[in-house]
Amino acid sequence: MQLGSPRVSNLRRSWLERLLAVVRELGAISDIDQTLNRIAEATVEFLDFGAAAINVVDADNLVVRAVAGPPDIRQLLGRSSPVRYWQDLLDAAEPWGSLRFFGHDQDRRVIGRIATWTSSRTAVGTQPGSWHPEDSLFAPLFAADGALLGVLSVDQPASGQLPDLEQRTMLELFANQAAVAIAESRARDRAEARRWEAEHRWQVTFERSPIGAAILSESGELLQVNESLVQMLGYPREVLLQRRLSQLTHPDDVDPGTAAFGELLDGSQESYESQKRLLHADGHVVFGLLHVGVIRNSAGGIQSIVAQINDITQRTRAEDRLAHRAMHDPLTELPNRTLLEELLAGYLDAGRPAGVLYCDLDRFKIVNDSLGHEAGDELLLVLSHRLRDALPAGVTLGRVGGDEFVALAPDEDDPYRLHQLAQRLTSALEQPLVIRGHLHTASLSIGITVSGTGHDHPDEVLREADLALLRAKRRGRARIEMYDPTQDKAGTLHELELEHSLRSALADNRGLVPYFQPIVDLLDNAAVGYEALVRWEHAEQGLLDPDDFLPMAEQTGLIVPLGWWMLATCCLAAGDRRLTGGGARWVAVNASGSQLGRGQLVPEIRRGLAAGGLAPDQLHLEITESALVEASPAAIKEVREVADLGVRIALDDFGTGYSSLSLLRDLPVSTVKIDRSFVAPIASDRSARAIVRSVIALCQELEITTVAEGIETQEQLTSVRTLGCDHGQGYLLGRPLPLD
C-alpha cells in the first residue's frame, strides 16, 4: 500500500490544539519516565490506538520504559530485547515516512524475537485498509546524529482501519517529542555525571590536599575544612566549623586581611595572597601563606570562596635564622659589622648623632697561642657577656671581628658622658676572667668618636673610632682616647680623593679591571691556571697598579666590597674561552683578611660559582699566611667551609708571616705559594735555596702543591724546577694581561 508522507499541514486545527496541549504538559514535567508515560498515554488517548509502548536503548538492549492501554500491558514494563533484533525488525518493516509498518503476512520470526504484547481484540480486517491483529506499527526514535534512541510502538486503532495520514502525522510528532525527551534526559545525565565527577574529584583533591583548605562564607565563616587544616591548627573539625577566619588569625594580622576580603566581596579583585600568623589550638603561632579566591556563577555572583593556607612556619623560621645569622656574630650572637653599619646609616639619614666606642681586647693573641683557639673563643664569649651587662639599656654592643667590639650609643654626642660609658666597660674587666681553670686578666683599649653631619658613610665613622683606638694602643694599651682629627689624620688630601674615586668606581662598576697572570706547570711550561690581579683605570691618573690603591682600600675598609667585586667578576671570566682555551684551567682570586669572619665568604662564593657555571675546583682562593695566622676562630671556620665546597685554598706569600706550620696541619690548604723574596735570590743565596728546598719537601710530604712566585730569570726558573717545585709564576713565564 502506498501512503503519502505525513506533514503538519495535514492536521486539523483541533488536532494541532491537542498536540500543543500535550507539548505544554510535557514542558512542565522534568522526570523522563513521567514524560514518556504521558506521551504513551497521549498516543492512546488522542490517536485511538489500542495500546502504546516506548522502548528505550540501554546499552545493547531496548527496554520497555513506558506503556499505555489495557492494564495487562504493564507486564511489558522492564522487558528488554537486543538492539540488533529491533534493528532487523525495522529494516524488514515497510517504511511509512519515518514510521515502520510490519504486516501480518511478513516473516513472524523477525518480530517474534522482541518483547511484544497481543491485543485481546479479535476483529480481523479483510477489506483493503483494514488493520489485522498481527499488524505492527513502529516509530523509531533517533538522536540528532542518527543514533537509535528507542522505538514507540502502537497496537491496532479502535477503528479497525490502518491509521490515516493525520494519525500517522500525530504519531510521528509524539515520537519526535519522545526522542527529544530521551536525548535531553541523556544530556542532563551526562552533564550531571560530569558535574558529580568534577565535584567528587574536587572534593577528593580538597580533602586530601597537603595544603590546608577551607570553604568560606561571605562573612568569613568556615563552612568546610580539610584534614590538613585540622592538623595544621590542632582544632577538632567541628570547632573550626564554628569559627571565622579572623578568629583564627593573630590580632595584629586581622585588619589587613579584613580589607583584602572586602575587596574580594565587592568585586575589586578575584583573589589575594598574604602571609598571616594563625593561632594554633595550643597557643603557638603558625605562619601561613594564605591565598583566598572567589568562584563566580554564570551571573557573576559569588558561588563559593576558597581559602588555601600553606604552612610556612619552618621556612619562616629558617629565613629568620638566616637573617639573624647574616646580621649577628655566630660566636657571641652580638650584632656584626653589617648590622652596626645599618644602624649607623639610619642615624646618619635621620640626622641623629651617635657615640661610637671601638674596643679592642689587649693581648688576646697570647690566649690564642698558649691555650688554643677554643679557649680564645671562650674568652670572647665571657668578655661579650661582661661588656653587655655593663652597658645601659639602649646602647648596642656588637662584635666586628676577632677581638674587636663596638658600642653604639644613639643620640649621645657628649664626650664626657661617652668617656664615662667607656670607663664602665673597662671597669667590667677589673675582675679576672676564668678561662678553662686559668685566671685571665683582660683589659680594653677604646677609641671614641661621634657620628654627625660631616659623615657620609657609616664606615667613615667606624674608621675615626678605629684611628682613635690605634692611638690608644700606641700609647700603652688599656687606654681610652677620643678621636682627634689633628692627631688621627687618616691620610693626605690625595688619599682622600683616591678613596672617594675608588668608592665611586665600585658603586658605578667603572674603571676596575681584572688582569690575569698565568701559573704554569714547570714540567712542560703549560698554563694550568691564572691568578687574578686587580688594576684600576683611573680617569685622571691612568692605569694604577695594586700597590697604588690597595693599602688605602685596606685602611678604609673598601677592600671588602672590592674583594667581592673581584670574586664575582673573575668567576664570570673563568668560563671564558679566551682565558681557558677550552681546557680545564682554574682562576685564583685573592681574599683579604678583612673579608674573613663576616659570614659572607661562603654565600659570595656560592653566588660566584653559580653565576659563572663553574665547578668548585675551578676556583682557587688565595689567602696570605699572615691573614690566616691572625684570623679569628670564625674566620678559620669560614675557610674550612669554603674548602668543604670543593674550592681550593692557596696559602699566599708563604714565609713572610709567622710561618706557622700548624696552618699546613690544621687547615685544608691545597697550595702553598713561596714568596718572591725567597725566589729572587735562590740562584745565589744558599740560605734562600735551603728554605725553598725545605718548604717544597714538606709540601710534597703533605701532598700540597707548591708555586714559586716572582720568577723573572732563567736561573730562578732552573733552580725551582731542579728543587721539584710544581708550578711557577712570574714575568718570565707570563705577564698579567686583561681578558681583552
Side-chain angles (χ1 to χ4, degrees), residues 8-26 38 42 45-47 166 169-170 173-174 177:
V8 175
S9 59
N10 295 328
L11 296 180
R12 287 170 291 171
R13 181 179 184 82
S14 60
W15 283 64
L16 276 175
E17 290 175 352
R18 287 183 178 184
L19 174 63
L20 292 175
V22 172
V23 170
R24 282 194 291 269
E25 283 186 57
L26 297 178
R38 183 65 190 109
E45 179 181 347
F46 296 138
L47 303 184
E166 198 170 33
T169 300
M170 286 287 285
L173 293 173
F174 281 145
Q177 289 296 312

Side-chain angles (χ1 to χ4, degrees), residues 30 329 379 435 449 649 674:
S30 59
D329 172 56
L379 172 60
I435 307 298
T449 193
I649 303 298
I674 303 169

Side-chain angles (χ1 to χ4, degrees), residues 506-523:
L506 285 168
D508 299 337
N509 192 22
R510 185 184 68 249
L512 296 167
V513 181
Y515 275 50
F516 298 94
Q517 185 174 28
I519 298 173
V520 305
D521 189 326
L522 293 182
L523 291 177

Side-chain angles (χ1 to χ4, degrees), residues 55-57 60-64 79-83 86 148 150-151:
N55 302 264
V56 179
V57 172
D60 294 331
N61 294 303
L62 263 75
V63 180
V64 180
R79 294 179 62 180
S80 64
S81 304
V83 171
W86 274 99
L148 183 66
V151 177

Side-chain angles (χ1 to χ4, degrees), residues 659-673:
S659 297
S660 175
L661 297 180
S662 63
L663 291 176
L664 301 181
R665 180 196 64 197
D666 298 336
L667 288 178
V669 175
S670 299
T671 303
V672 163
K673 301 190 75 173

